[in-house]
Amino acid sequence: MAVSLVGGACSSNSVLSNTNNFSRASDVAFVCVNVPDGAGLPLSECGLNASDNSPTGDPNHHLHALVTQSERGEVAVVDLAATSGVALVDNSPGVPGFNFLPVSPSPTALVVDVRGAGPSQVWVASATRNHIQRVDVRALRRDPRAAQADLPTVAPLALPGAPTDLALDTLSDGRVVLYAALPDRGTVVTVDVTDPTAPRLQETRALSAGAGDAGLGDGGAADAGRGAARPVALAVDGRSHRLYVADEASTLVHVIEGGGATLRSPIDLGFRTRSLALSGWVRARASCTDAAADADHCARARYLYAVAAEDGALYAWDLVRGARVRANLLPQPNARSRRLNPAFDENRVALPAPATAVTALNTSDYVETADPNDPEGVVIQANAPCETGPCAGAVTPAPSALRGVFMAVTLRNGDITFVDLDDYDAACREASCSSGQAAYRFVRHAPRALATLTDPPRLTAQPAVTGIIRGTERTPITDTASIPSFACTASRAYNAPTGCSTANNFGVELTRREDLAQSASVPDPYIARNESWGFTYEGVLPGLDQAGGALSVDGSALRLDLPGAAFCTRGTLATAAARDLVVLVSDPVPQAGDAELCRGVFGSGASASNRDFEIDRAYEDRLVLRGSQDATPELVARCFPQATRFQVRAGGQWLVLGSRAGFVHGVRANASTRECELDPARQAETERLAGGCLVDRVPVAMRAPLCPTGRACTGSLNDEGTALATLAPVFANPYFCTQLFPAVRRGTDGRFSAVPTARETQMTLAVTGAYEPYATDVGNFPVNVRWVPAISRLYVVDTQNAGLLEFRLSPLTRGRQFN
Amino acid sequence: MKAWLGALALSAAVTGCPSNDGQDPPNDQFYRPIAAAIGGDGNWLFVANSNFDLRYNGGTVVAVDLARVRARAVEAAAGQPGNNCRPDATRSGAVVCPSGDFIRAEVTRKINPFAVDLAYAQYPNHQRLYVVVRGDGSLTWFDVDNAGSLNCGASAAGGACDDAHRVGVDPAQSPAGVRLPPDPSALAVDPARGWVVVTHQNVDPNLARASLFRDTAALAGATASARPVMLNTVGNLALGLSGVALLPRGDASDPTRSTFVSTSRAAATLTFLQAYPGNAALADGQPFLYQSAAVPLVGLSTGANNRSVAFDPTPGANRAFVVSRAPEALLVVRLDPANPTQVVINDAIPIPAGPSRLTVERDTSSGRTLVYVASYDARRLSVVDPDAHRVIAQEFTNRGPHTVLRDPRAPFLYVLDFLDDSLEVIDLRPTVDGGAANVNYLHRVLTLGASAR
């Protein structure tokens, strides 16, 4: 079945690609081939026309992609310059189906080695045969079954272990070396391929998982006891001829120089790594007021990006400063160290999913030349950067327009995203604003924004209010005067209007940008999140609507056991700060003699009564409950002798639940007693967040004590029946702050009091306009990504059915698919 | 004419009407083998034949003599073809032998069709085999022994198990009055406590998807009359529960409960089920099964089609291996014993198409953990080193590899082929004969009972 894919803005290109000929594609490399004789050429000789992908120069110079097929032990050859017919090269047309070049089983990596003079080849590593195999470029389009008398026969080079990655470098002395990572041997080997027909193993460098590689030998007695490293991936800097080695067994990135001869001091990233990529050079940010104070976002730099072995997290290392980058922190001023993703540590890049592969993406506008004044330096030339003034009304480049220096990252969830390092259109994006206040600002090390941020984040509408009148169905509450409300003013008297409007975001203060003057500051799209939040009065703690609870009398107390409940982990509290409730949901099923008594006390079905029990003490696997005069522990145990369904509810407080964040609480189980307690660190974090908001309305020193993290508390009234901001605890999370004023009623005696809030009263708000990372689908399981600067196209390898996918930039557009 | 009719009537009286009982399944062959377990002191492989296409009037459970299989495999690997065997046309150096030479036919017992899973448990005074059968909605159980005997109340070879050995069919057998819900998918056993948990892959929200049995044979002093009893079912679980495995007990585990982890083929969720022995203070005091957590699997595309699950046997590893079909990968999942609501997917390793079941081995000599995964659609067995994050070896199999087991007593791997009705033996010996490299390492050396093609 033929599949035709059409690129977005470009003309259609009906190159046919039969489906699913690929079999667990894993790696890709590119080679320019002179089709008539099969000779390899520099990549610069092979361009592709934007309209039909035909060769731009010599029509015989075709760019090819070589894709390893890990399941069948083959390399698929794809003619990217094919304008008709099938792009996949069928190496054996006499055999039905598409046939690729056979190589050794389990090919793990391949590199293209094109020489100006002399034979060109592709080196393929096999982790099953423990060798590196040479494939002559001239053989790429030939039938492997046919005699190749004109090609040199080169036996595979045996290695002491299974290679997982290869890297090629031409040294300053003209030698051409091939590096191979052998994780099971803890070594990186250097193979001299200057004469590609006679590759020879030159150096075997054993690496240590302990601190300090420098001075190590090649695995002798001096290294014994340090623990072997597991080098799994390589990244070579062609300018300095340094090889960076990812180590799965230690937190070190090893640095090798001089064709393997010299081991430099390693870089301690603090985590084990799985893959690496070197970025291009980024310029110093002209708009930074104090670059020294915020080198991560402002300084001229070059970065080593690394994927963590443990969980696919992405981190960055500044190679100029020699320091870890705090990629998750927003730029200065950021007095409260706010993060792009509060759930990540400050060093982790805020990707939407774990990374599978990363590569540098330096577009054609980026030009790097050697610095004549500095042997190790470079001169960065950024072509045509957009440098307009703020609010100049310039046309805003689309988010998918990529010009400058980036990292392309494929994600485990099937998407690809781009990390901003030096966006040459940043100034134009920051100039776009609708109200004189720019919403967008460039954030180095952040994934590219999905949408053009012209307006600040805000609530989508007035918060909706619902309640449960009957059963479990929610209905809107129209009599809003009878329920608490978000505070929009410093005070609110009886019967006074709320003062809530879009201007004050209906009483919800989204965290503001610190880099703008207080009076001009707007909510920060990088801190807000597009999410719905529900404030539910005495809501059920998520995960704590459980069946199977066992009620018993322990001494004189009522005890509820459910060993798997994880009460503390799920946020249950029974302290002075909050005392949650247990509600027995299932009806009593007592012995016959107790039936009437139990029915009378506890009711049944819609007429249930006396089902609420305060929690006296909460533990990870059990709760101790307080009985009541009507429902003593003994009676409860007699009336509920069976496994019981129950709910744990936030007692007298509002449970705040985010549609993405969930219930962000600060409860933990005491390490020794396993009793639930507030985590002081989490609560202190909430205090810190609260201290930075609503300062105009109520000074911090005058505020009511906070409620536990993740919960909101209704404020109280003064003697005159006025709700005051000083009497309403501030609710704060990383995204927003608010306060709750009570509903006020006046009794017949003229006295004011707060209207009790009905259980399950819910106020829902939704935030929009926040930053979202750019991501687009590239298949079910992308495992590799490569940028080909010669043609300004990006290629993604999907190991499932998608195969090899092509993308163009500016704007990012999906192109062809080869499988 | 009358004479002719009379002769016809006489003939009919002698022969009777054509039989409608169907054809009995063979006692000495595999037929659509679906699941297996090793028991009987590690020398017997018990295989459930599902009879999935109803060619016969029932499925069977057979006992394969592993001692003979091992001996034959060693001979075959050494190039000795053996009697009754023929060269394997699809694998150089391997042989195919009739399964009847290795199956103890006289102990074969008949069960209903559509068996889906099988598990073995060693108790203080009993050895039990459990087979969950979709055809009659039962947990069919057997007493087994070190001689490979299978006792389910039938006396003759090929005899059908009696009703007493088919639990979950009659609600009257259950103190809770429950019967096995439809569409069972897998089962797991806690031999320390006698729990048998069955998961169900139905997607009807009104149906239960997990069932609990308890075999009193696990209790100290259990007599010969000890048997499994169905206790309760659990609803409101993730749709399409598929694989299930017992979570190894760690230091943080509650000593009173057993935790089982189940995957789903319709939801990106891991479901944690706990079997609780009951509270003596309660009037019913019933043990019961309940959902203790439902944890989402995030960060995948889509992560909502998971099959078998198994745990790393390395003490303190706290990781599970999950066969995923979306994407087609082996998921390495880190569990936090102290926080049952949290799991982290450490890795997703691409594996061939249509992965089905897996088994995990801790190689004590190398210290490596290896995962063997059968890929039904791709006809491959993959050997995955999760710490190396890749497939380190692959072997082509027959047409329908489904179940894979590691021999606990010898360096062989067994692959049940559902489509070709065979058992393949994979050689796991890196060296042979005093240290020489084994050319058959990670390759098939023997097949039992491949059907003619």
Side-chain angles (χ1 to χ4, degrees), chain A residues 21-22 69 72 74-77 88-89 91 98-102:
Chain A
N21 293 289
F22 282 12
Q69 309 295 305
R72 288 203 296 259
E74 297 174 329
V75 170
V77 182
L88 300 187
V89 174
N91 289 99
F98 273 87
N99 302 276
F100 304 135
L101 287 177

Side-chain angles (χ1 to χ4, degrees), chain B residues 60-226:
Chain B
T60 59
V61 176
V62 301
V64 180
D65 186 342
L66 286 182
R68 301 188 68 179
V69 172
R70 294 164 190 146
R72 185 84 278 278
V74 169
E75 291 169 355
Q80 301 165 25
N83 295 332
N84 297 335
C85 302
R86 58 178 170 82
D88 189 332
T90 60
R91 179 76 183 94
S92 172
V95 298
V96 180
C97 301
S99 56
D101 292 350
F102 303 88
I103 292 176
R104 194 183 162 197
E106 67 273 21
V107 304
T108 297
R109 295 295 180 259
K110 187 162 71 175
I111 59 175
N112 268 265
F114 305 121
V116 292
D117 203 4
L118 177 155
Y120 167 85
Q122 169 87 54
Y123 297 125
N125 300 316
H126 296 80
Q127 296 183 54
R128 287 273 158 90
L129 197 69
Y130 307 96
V131 183
V132 62
V133 183
R134 185 154 58 94
D136 62 354
S138 76
L139 181 75
T140 302
W141 60 277
F142 300 77
D143 274 309
V144 301
D145 60 23
N146 292 345
S149 302
L150 286 161
N151 178 14
C152 65
S155 55
C161 296
D162 63 16
D163 288 346
H165 287 80
R166 296 167 51 241
V167 191
V169 179
D170 182 2
Q173 291 179 328
S174 163
V178 292
R179 59 182 301 171
L180 197 69
D183 292 329
S185 49
L187 82 162
V189 182
D190 179 3
R193 300 200 173 117
W195 302 121
V196 180
V197 169
V198 177
T199 53
H200 304 266
Q201 61 184 344
N202 64 70
V203 295
D204 187 330
N206 297 313
L207 295 177
R209 290 191 202 97
S211 304
L212 177 70
F213 298 79
R214 190 171 204 183
D215 197 332
T216 53
L219 303 177
T223 64
S225 62

Side-chain angles (χ1 to χ4, degrees), chain A residues 585-601:
Chain A
V585 177
S586 51
D587 287 333
V589 186
Q591 301 288 341
D594 291 328
E596 193 171 335
L597 172 63
C598 295
R599 196 163 41 246
V601 175

Side-chain angles (χ1 to χ4, degrees), chain A residues 38-110:
Chain A
L41 299 168
L43 283 180
S44 57
E45 293 287 320
C46 277
L48 297 178
N49 274 309
S51 57
D52 64 355
N53 296 304
S54 60
T56 51
D58 188 322
N60 290 320
H61 293 178
H62 284 213
L63 183 66
H64 290 71
L66 310 176
V67 187
T68 53
Q69 309 295 305
S70 59
E71 193 167 300
R72 288 203 296 259
E74 297 174 329
V75 170
V77 182
V78 183
D79 185 348
L80 298 176
T83 54
S84 62
V86 183
L88 300 187
V89 174
D90 184 358
N91 289 99
S92 301
V95 178
F98 273 87
N99 302 276
F100 304 135
L101 287 177
V103 294
S104 297
S106 303
T108 49
L110 78 172

Side-chain angles (χ1 to χ4, degrees), chain A residues 636-649:
Chain A
V636 174
R638 276 166 54 194
C639 293
F640 294 90
Q642 79 288 9
T644 304
R645 182 183 165 204
F646 66 94
Q647 297 170 336
V648 177
R649 290 181 175 271

Side-chain angles (χ1 to χ4, degrees), chain A residues 24 70-71 127-128 162 230 248 274 310 412-413 546 548 550-551 563-564 569-570 591 641-642 780-781 799-800, chain B residues 257 274 276 282-283 288 290-292 299-301 328 339 345-348 351-353 380 387-390 394:
Chain A
R24 295 294 175 262
S70 59
E71 193 167 300
T128 301
R230 277 185 62 86
E248 244 179 22
R274 180 184 301 185
E310 174 71 13
R412 195 190 289 157
N413 65 354
Q546 288 267 13
L551 288 159
T569 303
R570 290 184 163 118
Q591 301 288 341
Q642 79 288 9
N780 285 340
F781 196 1
T799 192
Q800 309 284 286
Chain B
R257 62 191 166 124
Q274 289 188 330
Y276 184 55
L282 297 182
F288 55 87
Y290 61 94
Q291 176 182 263
S292 59
L300 296 171
S301 173
E328 287 177 322
N339 186 351
I345 299 177
N346 281 155
D347 204 357
I351 50 179
R380 276 180 174 81
D387 297 308
H389 305 289
R390 61 187 180 86
Q394 289 185 84

Side-chain angles (χ1 to χ4, degrees), chain A residues 609-787:
Chain A
S609 58
N610 292 310
R611 301 291 187 95
D612 289 6
F613 298 86
E614 273 193 341
I615 301 174
D616 189 38
R617 303 189 73 155
Y619 299 85
E620 182 74 341
D621 60 353
R622 68 188 187 280
L623 302 173
V624 180
L625 309 179
R626 293 175 176 170
S628 66
Q629 190 173 0
D630 292 328
T632 63
E634 293 74 19
L635 181 63
V636 174
R638 276 166 54 194
C639 293
F640 294 90
Q642 79 288 9
T644 304
R645 182 183 165 204
F646 66 94
Q647 297 170 336
V648 177
R649 290 181 175 271
Q653 296 176 340
W654 299 77
L655 192 77
V656 183
L657 206 64
S659 58
R660 291 166 60 180
F663 178 37
V664 185
H665 66 82
V667 181
R668 68 181 184 186
N670 182 282
S672 55
T673 66
R674 307 303 291 162
E675 187 167 2
C676 303
E677 61 185 19
L678 271 179
D679 183 339
R682 298 293 300 274
Q683 193 65 19
E685 170 77 5
T686 302
E687 299 266 0
R688 194 176 61 76
L689 292 170
C693 66
L694 298 173
V695 291
D696 290 342
R697 185 188 297 169
V698 51
V700 175
M702 297 178 61
R703 295 183 178 184
L706 292 187
C707 280
T709 301
R711 301 166 184 237
C713 298
T714 313
S716 53
L717 304 174
N718 67 3
D719 293 338
E720 286 75 39
T722 299
L724 299 177
T726 54
L727 299 178
V730 172
F731 170 82
N733 66 16
Y735 314 105
F736 65 90
C737 293
T738 192
Q739 290 175 296
L740 286 167
F741 279 167
V744 185
R745 65 183 173 192
R746 189 173 194 172
T748 53
D749 58 357
R751 296 172 68 86
F752 297 101
S753 61
V755 179
T757 307
R759 178 176 293 172
E760 286 290 340
T761 299
Q762 186 177 80
M763 292 187 286
T764 308
L765 58 95
V767 177
T768 188
Y771 157 84
E772 294 276 359
Y774 180 95
T776 189
D777 172 68
V778 292
N780 285 340
F781 196 1
V783 292
N784 232 318
V785 58
R786 295 276 186 258
W787 167 246

